[in-house]
Amino acid sequence: MVDYRIDRRSGVATYVQIVQQTKQALRLGLLMPGDKLPTAREVVEATAVNPNTVLKAYRELEREGLVEARRGLGTFVRRSLGAAPADSPLRAELEDWAARAREAGLEREDVAALFTAVLDTQFPHRTAEGDPS
Amino acid sequence: MTATLTTPAVLAEGHRTPRQLRWLLRLHRPAALAWTAFVLLTGAALLWLGGPLTDAAAQAWKAYNACAFGSRCSYDQDAILTYKDTYTYTTFAVLGAPFLVAAWAGAALTGRELESGTVRLAWTQAVSPVRWLAARLAFPALLITVSTGLLAWLHRRAWTAGDGRIDTAKPWHDVATFYAGGVVPVALALAGLALGALAGLLLRRSLPALAATVLGVGALWAAVHTAMPYLWPTVTKVSGLGEGPQGDGFIAGEGVITAGGDRVAAPCTSIFNQGCKAELTELKAVSFYRDYHPVSHTWPLNLVASGILLLLTALLVVTALRLVRRRTA
Amino acid sequence: MTEPAIEAAALAKRFGRRRDAWALRDCSFRVPAGRVCAVVGPNGAGKSTLLALAAGLLVPTEGTVTVLGTDPAAARPRIGFVDQDKPLYPQLTVAETLRMGADLNPGRWDAGTAHDVVAAGSLDPGKRIRALSGGQRTRVALALALGKRPELLLLDEPMADLDPLARHDLMGVLMGQAAAHGTTIVMSSHVVAELEDSCDHLLLLGGGRVRLAGEIDEVLAAHTRLSAPAGTTLAPHRVVETRTTGRQLSALIRPAGPLPGDWRTCAPSLEELLLSYLRNPEAPSSADTTTEAAA
């Protein structure tokens, strides 16, 4: 199950946040194919956002083929995203590496800088869509 | 009072018309209870007055009258005094009923709702504002008519029981007795109800509306009483100069009839007074005359006075309903 | 449902006979069904009058207002209304208040919804209304309005005296209603920051007139914030607000065409937009952003 947290100050449109958080949940394996997404009513009661926003997000996810709406039953996950569930061996390796970095005396900021540098090399930055200024 | 919420899982079905009466009673419960207590107490007092108390007092009067001067007299003075007091209080109560109604109607019926804003709650349910007001007039009107009518009837019954048996019983044409035993308090109470509703709508505050309504009912009564002798054709009684003007009842006019057949105001009424005799002779007075209403006019006068009040009430009701319809959608 | 929830044509309301007693003047707008519409404006702009006219509590002096396809009187059972001071009968208990709602709205009452709204606030049903706090009264008033299963909900500053948690909770309740039943919600509010998330339609009033009306997304898209060198002429675009500090000119405009490349532009937030309009009452009103009813 996924619990949406809307950050009003982030400058990112609400429906985009919902889409992103759904995808995040899919990546982490919190949502599996066949799971039912919360109904629009459940989401708005918890977050107090406009129902049309939620529906817009769900439509976007449906457009990307990640979910499908079944009439009268709800919206269900169709396929998963990425290949790194929460308990994958990659995560175990990363935890191992982080422990070794700490033992070597690295601070949190050092680790973050190191990791970001590697990330930038291996996964080049796509320009983020967004507003000017 | 239940402390739990009822939760039927389906939409409430059944009665198509909103049940306003139930909530009218609930919202005005204290006033309804007070009125019921008032009616019960006054009614009980009147029953007691017209029954056992009259008997006791009549007996006491009999004993009193049988007393010769000088000898020791034993009679039940308490009974006589209690009768007198009870009669006074109950008469006041019956005459006060319209003012109680007026006070409640002005303060609570519409005035309080407009002042506190709850009228905006009442007018956004499924009831239209006109029907809301109509219910607020119809149900109390029914209750008031029945209860005030009952009290007036009991009063008349009590007075009739004492008439002739109680020496100091008020005559039929004593103002308080005449009204208390007739239909006028009922009509006046209904007028107070309508006036209170209208005052609340116009003034939108409960205290000013209360004052306006109570004063209005007082003014109405004064007007009705002033007009009363002229509401029905009078009976004229002509009497000799030695007798003075004659005729017991409500007096519409009196004076002397001169030799020429003219009606002139009487400067005085006792021919045995020398100065008076001179004045009357100067006027060439032949006899006294008096236009008055005898006891047989009791009901005609009552009905005409009440009829006028009811006509006024109807006008006030129509005005109030039209005001509500004009103000809201 | 393709007919608009509220449609006003040259709506005007005057209290009294004086010339300055006009609360609303020449208001024309349309609120499509199923929307959550925010009515915004300074005090005295006519927000409460507008809601009262739509609820059938007042009669227009000029013009017409059509609610749910008919006049407000005929639509009365289908409209829920909560006044600014949340009027309730102080001598009734919470349970009695809801039962009164059921009795006065026969055939339409949803006791489950009303009960849920009240229970979510942990309210003791046996407590009298006069013993409740402001937030609790608002909850009961909303429960009464929602229990009617209205198609249109008119709320006059519903969140005014609520703490942030209660605001969030009750907003959630309202949004849940809109999601479940497609209720059109029209609420007047001062708290602009929260409107952007929950509302998708906007009605901005000023001085009794409609200054802005339309879908929030479209209204925001139709305006641009810009910075340019001081002294730049902004014609032919419609200017809402300008400010010059030193050598820089910043402004909020409604572009009438393409903008010069040397202007730095960005889209305004809803709060910035509303504040600009509120600060500049003489700015030309943009009533032509009113959208046609789109279901």
Side-chain angles (χ1 to χ4, degrees):
Chain A
M1 228 11 188
V2 55
D3 201 12
Y4 294 109
R5 267 199 64 251
I6 308 299
D7 184 0
R8 294 187 162 92
R9 299 232 153 263
S10 68
V12 179
T14 308
Y15 89 98
V16 172
Q17 291 186 42
I18 295 179
V19 169
Q20 284 175 347
Q21 288 178 32
T22 313
K23 287 186 181 172
Q24 187 81 339
L26 283 170
R27 274 195 207 97
L28 291 177
L30 300 171
L31 278 179
M32 308 282 282
D35 282 348
K36 181 166 181 283
L37 289 180
T39 63
R41 181 175 188 172
E42 287 165 350
V43 176
V44 303
E45 276 178 353
T47 59
V49 303
N50 192 291
N52 292 325
T53 311
V54 177
L55 295 174
K56 196 169 169 188
Y58 281 15
R59 273 201 298 274
E60 177 70 20
L61 290 165
E62 197 173 6
R63 207 175 53 80
E64 293 188 21
L66 293 169
V67 304
E68 64 176 347
R70 287 185 216 150
R71 205 172 179 74
L73 295 169
T75 310
F76 293 84
V77 178
R78 230 164 125 234
R79 63 177 176 84
S80 61
L81 251 189
D87 56 352
S88 79
L90 281 170
R91 182 178 174 142
E93 277 182 42
L94 196 57
E95 295 222 17
D96 203 37
W97 177 87
R100 280 188 278 132
R102 184 154 27 108
E103 276 165 30
L106 265 65
E107 297 278 337
R108 187 196 169 102
E109 283 80 17
D110 302 322
V111 172
L114 192 57
F115 185 76
T116 312
V118 172
L119 199 65
D120 282 343
T121 322
Q122 292 288 334
F123 297 94
H125 228 334
R126 273 175 303 154
T127 41
E129 4 169 33
D131 49 291
S133 94
Chain B
M1 199 157 344
T2 57
T4 54
L5 292 172
T6 53
T7 55
V10 295
L11 285 175
E13 308 174 348
H15 38 263
R16 285 274 124 197
T17 51
R19 286 156 87 188
Q20 291 199 74
L21 172 60
R22 180 182 183 182
W23 292 101
L24 197 56
L25 276 175
R26 172 64 188 91
L27 286 174
H28 297 279
R29 199 165 59 182
L33 289 175
W35 177 258
T36 309
F38 166 76
V39 171
L40 287 176
L41 275 174
T42 312
L46 282 169
L47 280 171
W48 181 50
L49 181 73
L53 196 50
T54 302
D55 294 335
Q59 257 191 338
W61 275 109
K62 243 184 168 163
Y64 175 80
N65 291 328
C67 283
F69 280 109
S71 58
R72 279 188 70 215
C73 212
S74 94
Y75 66 100
D76 189 354
Q77 189 186 49
D78 273 343
I80 292 178
L81 293 175
T82 312
Y83 180 92
K84 182 159 159 293
D85 288 338
T86 312
Y87 186 84
T88 310
Y89 294 149
T90 51
T91 309
F92 265 124
V94 176
L95 295 182
F99 291 99
L100 292 176
V101 169
W104 168 79
L109 198 55
T110 49
R112 184 173 65 184
E113 296 241 15
L114 269 106
E115 187 176 25
S116 67
T118 51
V119 69
R120 291 196 147 194
L121 174 64
W123 287 355
T124 49
Q125 307 306 311
V127 191
S128 82
V130 172
R131 285 188 62 191
W132 172 86
L133 182 64
R136 263 167 165 65
L137 290 171
F139 295 127
L142 198 60
L143 178 68
I144 288 165
T145 307
V146 168
S147 45
T148 313
L150 178 70
L151 289 182
W153 178 73
L154 285 175
H155 187 279
R156 177 143 185 98
R157 188 175 157 277
W159 177 81
T160 313
D163 189 28
R165 295 169 66 194
I166 309 286
D167 287 19
T168 51
K170 302 280 184 201
W172 71 271
H173 56 94
D174 167 59
V175 173
T177 304
F178 174 77
Y179 283 120
V183 202
V184 170
V186 179
L188 211 51
L190 290 175
L193 176 69
L195 192 58
L198 186 59
L201 286 173
L202 287 173
L203 297 172
R204 300 180 208 243
R205 309 267 312 279
S206 56
L207 224 44
L210 185 156
T213 314
V214 170
L215 288 175
V217 167
L220 270 178
W221 205 337
V224 162
H225 184 58
T226 312
M228 218 253 303
Y230 311 104
L231 294 179
W232 194 252
T234 53
V235 162
T236 308
K237 191 156 188 177
V238 173
S239 51
L241 289 174
E243 295 169 315
Q246 293 278 300
D248 253 350
F250 287 111
I251 301 168
E254 66 180 15
V256 292
I257 304 181
T258 63
D262 299 321
R263 284 177 157 208
V264 177
C268 55
T269 55
S270 172
I271 200 172
F272 300 109
N273 176 319
Q274 285 304 318
C276 191
K277 186 171 181 179
E279 287 183 44
L280 290 175
T281 324
E282 199 186 316
L283 281 175
K284 299 205 190 68
V286 163
S287 53
F288 281 110
Y289 80 91
R290 181 182 269 175
D291 297 327
Y292 74 110
H293 296 283
V295 65
S296 60
H297 285 192
T298 310
W299 282 111
L301 285 174
N302 251 295
L303 290 175
V304 173
S306 304
I308 294 175
L309 284 171
L310 287 176
L311 205 64
L312 187 66
T313 306
L315 222 71
L316 290 169
V317 166
V318 166
T319 308
L321 289 172
R322 285 182 71 183
L323 183 67
V324 167
R325 174 173 287 142
R326 209 161 52 87
R327 268 198 208 159
T328 64
Chain C
M1 231 185 302
T2 51
E3 66 193 4
I6 306 179
E7 184 161 7
L11 186 62
K13 178 67 184 168
R14 177 169 64 174
F15 296 105
R17 298 235 168 266
R18 299 184 351 236
R19 269 189 1 168
D20 55 345
W22 289 96
L24 285 179
R25 206 84 208 257
D26 198 23
C27 293
S28 302
F29 61 87
R30 213 179 268 187
V31 177
R35 295 289 190 276
V36 180
C37 178
V39 180
V40 187
N43 289 324
K47 306 193 291 289
S48 297
T49 309
L50 183 68
L51 292 172
L53 282 165
L57 291 169
L58 295 173
V59 178
T61 311
E62 289 172 7
T64 60
V65 58
T66 309
V67 177
L68 298 173
T70 76
D71 59 278
R76 201 184 300 273
R78 298 150 68 194
I79 303 175
F81 176 83
V82 179
D83 198 28
Q84 199 166 348
D85 33 359
K86 331 285 187 299
L88 294 167
Y89 291 104
Q91 67 266 44
L92 299 182
T93 64
V94 173
E96 285 178 322
T97 306
L98 295 185
R99 216 171 325 141
M100 181 180 76
D103 277 343
L104 293 183
N105 295 286
R108 279 195 74 95
W109 189 252
D110 180 2
T113 302
H115 174 244
D116 288 343
V117 172
V118 167
S122 309
L123 282 179
D124 174 14
K127 215 166 172 196
R128 291 194 196 272
I129 299 292
R130 58 171 157 249
L132 296 179
S133 72
Q136 292 171 322
R137 288 172 52 127
T138 303
R139 192 174 274 277
V140 176
L142 274 179
L144 256 186
L146 289 171
K148 265 179 92 172
R149 277 284 183 91
E151 293 168 37
L152 169 66
L153 198 52
L154 299 166
L155 308 171
D156 198 347
E157 304 213 20
M159 308 292 168
D161 55 353
L162 298 182
D163 62 83
L165 181 61
R167 256 209 287 267
H168 182 91
D169 280 347
L170 287 172
M171 205 47 150
V173 168
L174 288 175
M175 294 299 110
Q177 274 295 300
H181 307 295
T183 314
T184 310
I185 300 180
V186 178
M187 45 187 279
S188 73
S189 178
H190 281 310
V191 186
V192 180
E194 292 177 350
L195 296 174
E196 194 156 7
D197 256 347
S198 41
C199 301
D200 48 15
H201 201 92
L202 175 71
L203 197 57
L204 174 64
L205 297 178
R209 294 178 189 273
V210 175
R211 318 260 335 272
L212 266 184
E215 299 282 316
I216 288 185
D217 292 338
E218 293 176 20
V219 164
L220 287 177
H223 290 78
T224 308
R225 253 192 332 133
L226 65 90
S227 340
T232 315
T233 170
L234 296 171
H237 310 296
R238 302 253 294 278
V239 177
V240 178
E241 181 182 49
T242 69
R243 199 171 36 223
T244 305
T245 26
R247 293 199 205 90
Q248 185 176 331
L249 170 92
S250 36
L252 179 75
I253 63 168
R254 295 199 62 213
L259 300 177
D262 62 333
W263 290 3
R264 285 205 313 281
T265 62
C266 74
S269 73
L270 184 63
E271 189 163 7
E272 289 168 342
L273 180 76
L274 290 174
L275 287 175
S276 288
Y277 268 93
L278 291 174
R279 277 195 290 257
N280 296 274
E282 332 73 47
S285 75
S286 313
D288 46 72
T289 57
T290 306
T291 56
E292 296 302 299

